[in-house]
Amino acid sequence: MTVELTLTPPDRAAQGQEWDAYVQELAAVVAAADPGSTYDWEARERMRTSAWVRHVYEHPASALLLRHPDTGAAAGARRREAAELAGRLDGGRAVARPARPSSDAWAAAAVAAMWEITTAAVTGPERLPRERVVSDVWTVVRTLLVPAVDRHTPVFRRPRGAW
């Protein structure tokens, strides 16, 4: 005897609305934590990243939404966050150097890492302490962003075709 289990897909419209509200609230929290350009890039991004992680960690809907994301809305949020971060990195062009990969690539990697580490912490079987997650995320994000803004960090290049 075979039993078929049929799961009804979640209501896409409702899920999309939840994601939109969640992402808008998250953007507002991060914008409120942004000290502006009065701080150096590292302090500013640390404050923004910390606010992002803390909000996601504490929000009651985070675990459910991140466990079953509306992939279109999540991808759109990541792209917007990466574009904003790249703009902030490029905005400091006086201190930033032309790095390969571009600021867009560094920003995309940093945002993806932030989302993945936080999602793993929120949806995992055992929750790490919030400040540990904040510290882990910032350490990875900073490591990814330093080559885009620090003139003294070596970027190792290979001759074309050596890959």
Side-chain angles (χ1 to χ4, degrees), residues 27-53:
V29 166
V30 172
D34 189 343
S37 59
T38 56
Y39 285 74
D40 68 340
W41 77 268
E42 186 173 352
R44 183 180 187 188
E45 293 309 322
R46 187 183 70 244
M47 287 183 229
R48 290 178 60 88
T49 300
S50 298
W52 191 97
V53 174

Side-chain angles (χ1 to χ4, degrees), residues 65-88:
L65 288 172
L66 293 173
R67 191 174 286 121
H68 304 289
D70 174 338
T71 54
R78 282 183 176 188
R79 279 192 300 275
R80 281 189 303 278
E81 290 173 12
E84 290 170 5
L85 175 56
R88 288 190 304 277

Side-chain angles (χ1 to χ4, degrees), residues 16-151:
Q17 290 170 351
E18 282 181 80
W19 262 100
D20 289 342
Y22 181 79
V23 169
Q24 287 174 2
E25 183 181 337
L26 184 56
V29 166
V30 172
D34 189 343
S37 59
T38 56
Y39 285 74
D40 68 340
W41 77 268
E42 186 173 352
R44 183 180 187 188
E45 293 309 322
R46 187 183 70 244
M47 287 183 229
R48 290 178 60 88
T49 300
S50 298
W52 191 97
V53 174
R54 286 183 180 108
H55 183 74
V56 170
Y57 191 93
E58 297 295 332
H59 196 284
S62 290
L64 179 64
L65 288 172
L66 293 173
R67 191 174 286 121
H68 304 289
D70 174 338
T71 54
R78 282 183 176 188
R79 279 192 300 275
R80 281 189 303 278
E81 290 173 12
E84 290 170 5
L85 175 56
R88 288 190 304 277
L89 292 175
D90 284 340
R93 229 353 132 192
V95 295
R97 64 190 172 129
R100 286 194 183 186
S102 69
S103 293
D104 295 328
W106 291 116
V111 168
M114 180 173 68
W115 275 74
E116 289 304 317
I117 295 167
T118 307
T119 298
V122 171
T123 61
E126 184 179 319
R127 275 190 138 185
L128 295 173
R130 183 188 72 182
E131 293 307 309
R132 167 70 189 274
V133 178
V134 170
S135 176
D136 289 351
V137 169
W138 174 243
T139 300
V140 172
V141 167
R142 183 184 182 285
T143 301
L144 288 166
L145 295 181
V146 164
V149 294
D150 184 10
R151 289 184 214 163

